[in-house]
Amino acid sequence: MPEPASVTKPAAPYVQRGPVNLRVLGTSVTLLESIRQRAREDLGIRLTFEVLDGVAAQRAGVLAPNSFDIYDQWFHNVDFVWPANAIQPIDIARITHWDQINDLPKTGRLTAHAPLGAGSNPVDRLYVQPDGSLGARPSERITMLPVSHNADSFGYRLDMLPEGLSPDRESWGWLLDPRWRGMVSLQNDSAIGAIDAAMAAQARGLVDFEDLGNLSVAEIDSLIDCLIELKRQQHFRAFWSNQDQASSDMVRGRVGIESLWSPAMTDLKQRQIKVRMASPQEGYRAWYGGISISRHVEGRTLDAAYDYLNWWLSGWPGAVMARQGYYSSTPELTRHHLSPAEWDYWYAGKPASEDLAGPSGYSGMIHRGEIRDGGDYQTRMSRIAVWNTVMDEHNYLVRRWNDFMSA
């Protein structure tokens, strides 16, 4: 029997779809509050940043993939999170600015004649092969979107430079030079601090390595035994786990030379500490940071994740990274968001034509006439001696590094 005309069926319930919340796991290298706020405004999504130190972020990336949507760390960490099935392949077809990413992460070198560098070169773990393995052969899927990178070394206070050492002949060996005894600090992460120590030991002629990026058990033993002996001689003053500590130790004069990252360097400059980032004659230790998507992400959250990845390549985030001393994988897009003076200083290796601000907006961080330590982008990133790496004997290295830390 037909229903009376006055009776209407209830409409389907209205479901209000609020903005997606992306949970981002990473480190203080890229998870800045200014980044979170701007991405939220530009993309219309909610963002939650979980900022951990490198070791803790890596551990969470492997053991708790359901606790995050975006994994933001470094390419050598792919060696942990990919075998653990913690991240999913990224579809290159959904990356808007893929063609603007330069050759460094895609081929392993910035120029045809630049050294590839030992260790975990990003290209070797960039592309997902048809059988699920990783390699340098281009494919349609990648493990991690290349974002930020840099060439690292060590920093030292010019007013504490021992007699007989010259900025014109900087060497990794300075970290273990007895003239710096009692004033040295190393990064305490075994995967990074050990490479710095190995570079220093080899430069000093204390230990020789066949492959700096992949030490054997015997070579690890030789390195750690050497470091323990130096520690007993009170050569090392401190070991830092975060950049605030590294900066604070140098400001207070407890440390005169140490493994150093660019944000700590910018902080020291803001504090008017006369510090120089070394350009070691042996070459740099390089790293490449990127963004991966957790294995569980799908639907609207996956769409938001790709929006976030594409936003990171769009230029504005790269400018924020530049003011910290980092480079972007899309430098030409970044250039549009830097003033000519900023581009000339951070990328072109030219003297600053005016006082430049740092990431916090402090206008006196870079003084007019100042030149970036190490020169222009191509020069710095073409002198890579070793990449941050995961060695075949990583677990053994960690155990022996802990022996050194506790000695």
Side-chain angles (χ1 to χ4, degrees):
M1 180 176 179
E3 295 178 351
S6 60
V7 177
T8 58
K9 293 182 179 180
Y14 175 70
V15 179
Q16 183 174 6
R17 305 180 75 182
V20 171
N21 180 61
L22 278 183
R23 301 167 299 162
V24 185
L25 169 68
T27 70
S28 60
V29 172
T30 49
L31 300 192
L32 310 176
E33 179 59 19
S34 60
I35 291 289
R36 191 188 68 81
Q37 291 181 358
R38 181 63 177 258
R40 182 187 61 187
E41 294 169 3
D42 288 352
L43 301 175
I45 61 177
R46 297 191 181 113
L47 284 164
T48 303
F49 282 0
E50 183 177 6
V51 183
L52 303 176
D53 64 45
V55 174
Q58 174 191 292
R59 184 182 301 114
V62 171
L63 299 178
N66 290 327
S67 70
F68 61 87
D69 304 308
I70 298 291
Y71 176 69
D72 182 335
Q73 209 168 6
W74 307 302
F75 263 86
H76 67 278
N77 297 111
V78 169
D79 292 7
F80 296 106
V81 294
W82 183 259
N85 193 31
I87 58 175
Q88 63 178 275
I90 296 169
D91 182 359
I92 290 177
R94 298 188 67 174
I95 302 302
T96 307
H97 300 296
W98 176 255
D99 291 342
Q100 276 87 5
I101 295 176
N102 69 15
D103 285 343
L104 183 57
K106 293 178 178 178
T107 68
R109 49 166 60 112
L110 195 57
T111 60
H113 301 293
L116 285 169
S120 297
N121 196 305
V123 71
D124 293 328
R125 52 210 27 83
L126 175 63
Y127 295 103
V128 180
Q129 304 302 307
D131 63 358
S133 64
L134 308 182
R137 178 180 294 179
S139 71
E140 297 177 351
R141 302 185 303 165
I142 58 175
T143 57
M144 178 175 273
L145 182 69
V147 176
S148 302
H149 55 287
N150 203 12
D152 283 344
S153 61
F154 59 90
Y156 60 96
R157 282 185 54 155
L158 289 166
D159 60 340
M160 297 174 69
L161 183 65
E163 187 175 351
L165 297 180
S166 168
D168 296 329
R169 298 187 302 275
E170 294 162 335
S171 167
W172 281 99
W174 285 16
L175 287 170
L176 301 184
D177 192 307
R179 284 170 286 190
W180 283 107
R181 180 172 295 153
M183 296 182 287
V184 180
S185 179
L186 295 179
Q187 213 272 341
N188 71 356
D189 180 350
S190 60
I192 299 175
I195 296 177
D196 289 354
M199 294 273 281
Q202 182 161 276
R204 288 284 298 166
L206 301 175
V207 186
D208 189 40
F209 306 109
E210 183 175 343
D211 181 353
L212 192 61
N214 196 22
L215 307 186
S216 68
V217 167
E219 289 171 337
I220 292 170
D221 283 338
S222 296
L223 172 63
I224 299 302
D225 290 347
C226 172
L227 295 177
I228 288 175
E229 179 59 31
L230 286 168
K231 189 175 183 182
R232 287 171 176 163
Q233 297 172 16
Q234 298 184 326
H235 182 82
F236 303 103
R237 182 66 180 269
F239 301 93
W240 59 265
S241 60
N242 61 70
Q243 298 177 92
D244 289 341
Q245 181 184 354
S247 175
S248 175
D249 285 343
M250 193 165 273
V251 168
R252 294 160 57 195
R254 295 184 70 245
V255 166
I257 184 172
E258 62 182 345
S259 304
L260 202 63
W261 298 352
S262 283
M265 184 77 173
T266 60
D267 181 63
L268 290 165
K269 285 181 173 290
Q270 288 178 355
R271 295 169 182 261
Q272 304 301 312
I273 303 297
K274 293 183 178 180
V275 60
R276 175 175 165 83
M277 183 71 82
S279 304
Q281 57 192 12
E282 300 86 7
Y284 292 99
R285 174 183 53 73
W287 59 268
Y288 217 113
I291 305 174
S292 297
I293 303 174
S294 178
R295 68 184 184 196
H296 72 85
V297 177
E298 59 185 4
R300 293 179 64 223
T301 304
L302 182 60
D303 293 339
Y306 274 101
D307 288 344
Y308 183 70
L309 267 60
N310 284 315
W311 179 82
W312 258 102
L313 300 182
S314 64
W316 189 89
V320 174
M321 293 295 103
R323 296 181 188 108
Q324 293 197 106
Y326 297 152
Y327 300 120
S328 167
S329 61
T330 52
E332 290 306 316
L333 294 176
T334 293
R335 184 172 190 164
H336 298 307
H337 296 268
L338 295 171
S339 70
E342 288 178 316
W343 174 266
D344 285 348
Y345 176 81
W346 292 113
Y347 274 87
K350 297 179 181 180
S353 59
E354 58 189 46
D355 288 352
L356 300 178
S360 65
Y362 172 67
S363 61
M365 191 190 81
I366 304 299
H367 299 292
R368 182 179 179 180
E370 191 173 339
I371 299 175
R372 181 172 185 174
D373 297 333
D376 65 273
Y377 174 55
Q378 183 168 307
T379 298
R380 296 181 85 246
M381 296 309 303
S382 296
R383 295 189 60 243
I384 299 171
V386 62
W387 291 90
N388 283 0
T389 189
V390 178
M391 302 182 187
D392 291 344
E393 298 296 340
H394 173 77
N395 291 335
Y396 187 72
L397 174 63
V398 171
R399 291 199 297 272
R400 290 306 326 268
W401 185 259
N402 289 336
D403 292 342
F404 168 49
M405 290 290 102
S406 60

